Amino acid sequence: MSPVKVTLSRLDCLYLARLAEQAERYQDVVDQIKSLIVSSQGQLTADERSLLSIAFKNITSNLRNAWRAVDSLEKRDDNTKRQLVLMQLEKKRIKDELYGACKDVVDLMDNHLIPSASPGEEKVFYSKMKGDYYRYLAEFSKDEPGDQSAKLSLEAYKWAYKHALANLEPMHPTRLGLALNFAVYYHDIMDSPERACFLAKDAFDEAIAVISSHVPKTGQTIEDSLMILQLLRDDMILWSGEIQQDR
């Protein structure tokens, strides 16, 4: 008996993506949303966009954590030469997978989602994602000669931040999330806690200045913004401590 062929509607694909997310099958989520990107000429709803972002974040977070775990084991004093060789092999495998996942994100942004995005929040969201995933690549390759990941991440963040300042309110969660991740870029990739603190403080202060009059738009909650403000505050405290220690 041949398998029954089922034509999937947009709602079917969205349901399957949500189902895959609940089952923690994140590559399946990506595959379903990719099919929607093709059928909708790069136009995703907020729910579809969120699912794609969550799926790629989980895929790459697992790989980044795996690389760090092996890297930590590699630094032990009781490893044999053979074990060290095998650990290097495993780290390369993980890094290659991470590179593939991050390039997948960047290609989707460059070739489909950013060109089709509406001006304002949507374009900022996708450009932030582009900066994020080049940043993940830069974490593991910033010391490699000729690597362009850090430069490309910076360009994406700068473009996104310029447009966020022009189009989004200071308390908008996408603008605040961008500020947080851009500040992390300066700290982790550029080794500059000073720049990271400056950017984070500027975003924090601008949001606090309007918080009493902020009215969330449809689909937003002030809780999202407040959570990011807390993260900004925590990072500023941490980075300020690092600056004081270096003086």
Side-chain angles (χ1 to χ4, degrees):
M1 183 177 179
S2 59
V4 177
K5 291 185 178 181
V6 179
T7 301
L8 299 178
S9 69
R10 184 166 193 152
L11 287 176
D12 291 335
C13 291
L14 180 58
Y15 175 79
L16 288 172
R18 286 174 174 160
L19 191 65
E21 184 208 2
Q22 292 175 4
E24 298 184 0
R25 290 180 58 85
Y26 297 111
Q27 188 56 54
D28 288 352
V29 177
V30 170
D31 292 342
Q32 290 298 332
I33 301 300
K34 277 184 176 180
S35 70
L36 292 179
I37 291 172
V38 172
S39 63
S40 66
Q41 289 78 50
Q43 295 287 331
L44 295 181
T45 66
D47 282 347
E48 293 160 357
R49 188 178 70 189
S50 178
L51 281 167
L52 182 69
S53 176
I54 290 168
F56 272 124
K57 184 175 182 179
N58 277 279
I59 290 169
T60 53
S61 291
N62 288 339
L63 291 169
R64 292 162 73 203
N65 291 336
W67 190 95
R68 290 174 184 137
V70 177
D71 186 63
S72 179
L73 291 171
E74 187 183 15
K75 293 173 182 175
R76 289 173 45 174
D77 296 330
D78 58 347
N79 292 317
T80 66
K81 289 184 178 179
R82 183 62 177 171
Q83 287 172 332
L84 290 172
V85 169
L86 294 174
M87 287 179 186
Q88 284 290 327
L89 180 63
E90 182 62 14
K91 283 172 69 176
K92 185 181 183 306
R93 286 174 178 164
I94 297 169
K95 185 176 176 181
D96 288 345
E97 281 188 51
L98 179 65
Y99 179 85
C102 290
K103 286 297 292 178
D104 197 11
V105 178
V106 170
D107 288 345
L108 281 176
M109 299 303 116
D110 280 341
N111 298 327
H112 300 281
L113 296 175
I114 292 176
S116 301
S118 302
E121 194 268 345
E122 194 174 357
K123 262 198 186 333
V124 171
F125 182 92
Y126 290 137
S127 298
K128 170 188 168 293
M129 278 188 70
K130 181 178 175 180
D132 289 342
Y133 286 90
Y134 270 126
R135 172 165 59 87
Y136 299 156
L137 289 176
E139 286 179 358
F140 300 97
S141 59
K142 63 178 181 177
D143 296 326
E144 295 179 5
D147 185 75
Q148 296 292 303
S149 298
K151 175 178 175 289
L152 293 169
S153 178
L154 179 60
E155 289 175 354
Y157 278 139
K158 281 185 174 180
W159 192 96
Y161 204 61
K162 175 182 176 182
H163 285 263
L165 293 178
N167 295 284
L168 304 181
E169 298 174 356
M171 275 290 289
H172 195 293
T174 298
R175 175 168 163 173
L176 286 173
L178 170 60
L180 175 66
N181 288 13
F182 198 1
V184 169
Y185 169 88
Y186 277 122
H187 179 270
D188 291 359
I189 306 302
M190 302 300 287
D191 299 318
S192 178
E194 294 85 0
R195 286 187 182 181
C197 269
F198 179 85
L199 195 157
K201 186 177 186 306
D202 187 62
F204 185 90
D205 289 347
E206 288 193 358
I208 292 298
V210 301
I211 193 170
S212 61
S213 61
H214 176 69
V215 179
K217 294 182 179 180
T218 304
Q220 296 176 14
T221 63
I222 195 169
E223 285 77 14
D224 294 334
S225 300
L226 292 177
M227 181 183 67
I228 301 170
L229 283 173
Q230 184 62 51
L231 293 172
L232 282 168
R233 182 176 179 276
D234 291 345
D235 281 346
M236 282 191 290
I237 293 171
L238 179 64
W239 298 335
S240 295
E242 293 177 8
I243 294 170
Q244 292 299 322
Q245 287 179 354
D246 291 340
R247 287 177 178 173

